[in-house]
């Protein structure tokens, strides 16, 4: 069974006992919190995962978290926070949130060369 709340309680107990989660714990918890749409917890885990000089979870895991959070809607502040954590940790962002227009409403394609004077059209999902 998928008991996301029990998993989170185990994580909190671990932290309360001074145990720092390893990459396996974070790589397991992050997708669970994404599936449960517990976005504040996703960002908290991402903060821990990116606090070292190297990221403790695969870039794909964080990118999936970012994409799912964006797709849930109305999580602009958390989307921006997760994106900035990934940037600061130099985690390649395969899909960047666009904050132009109505903030957080769509993604743009990854950065690429655009001739001067041309603007890339957003990809609406």
């Amino acid at each position: 069974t998928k008991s996301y709340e029990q998993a989170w309680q185990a994580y909190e107990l671990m932290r309360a006992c001074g145990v720092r989660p390893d990459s396996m714990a974070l790589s397991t918890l992050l997708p669970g919190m994404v599936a449960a749409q517990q976005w504040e917890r996703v960002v908290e885990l991402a903060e821990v995962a990116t606090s070292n000089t190297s990221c403790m979870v695969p870039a794909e895991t964080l990118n999936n978290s970012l994409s799912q959070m964006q797709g849930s809607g109305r999580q602009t502040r958390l989307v921006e926070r997760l994106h900035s954590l990934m940037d600061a940790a130099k985690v390649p962002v395969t899909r960047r949130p666009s904050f132009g227009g109505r903030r957080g409403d769509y993604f743009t394609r990854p950065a690429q060369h655009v001739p001067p004077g041309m603007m890339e059209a957003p990809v609406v999902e």
Side-chain angles (χ1 to χ4, degrees), residues 3-83:
S3 180
Y4 304 119
E5 194 57 38
Q6 282 183 328
W8 187 254
Q9 288 172 359
Y11 169 77
E12 287 184 320
L13 179 61
M14 218 170 70
R15 295 299 303 252
C17 291
V19 177
R20 181 166 171 83
D22 63 7
S23 61
M24 178 63 76
L26 293 169
S27 294
T28 301
L29 280 167
L30 257 170
M33 293 304 111
V34 168
Q37 295 189 358
Q38 295 292 318
W39 306 123
E40 297 271 352
R41 292 175 177 179
V42 168
V43 171
E44 183 177 331
L45 292 168
E47 287 171 345
V48 173
T50 58
S51 64
N52 287 344
T53 55
S54 63
C55 186
M56 295 174 65
V57 297
E60 180 181 347
T61 301
L62 289 174
N63 275 291
N64 181 58
S65 300
L66 182 65
S67 178
Q68 294 295 319
M69 189 184 297
Q70 170 62 27
S72 73
R74 296 188 184 170
Q75 301 298 324
T76 304
R77 177 183 59 83
L78 295 174
V79 168
E80 289 175 0
R81 177 70 180 137
L82 180 54
H83 188 263

Side-chain angles (χ1 to χ4, degrees), residues 2 86 108:
K2 296 180 180 177
M86 292 169 69
T108 59

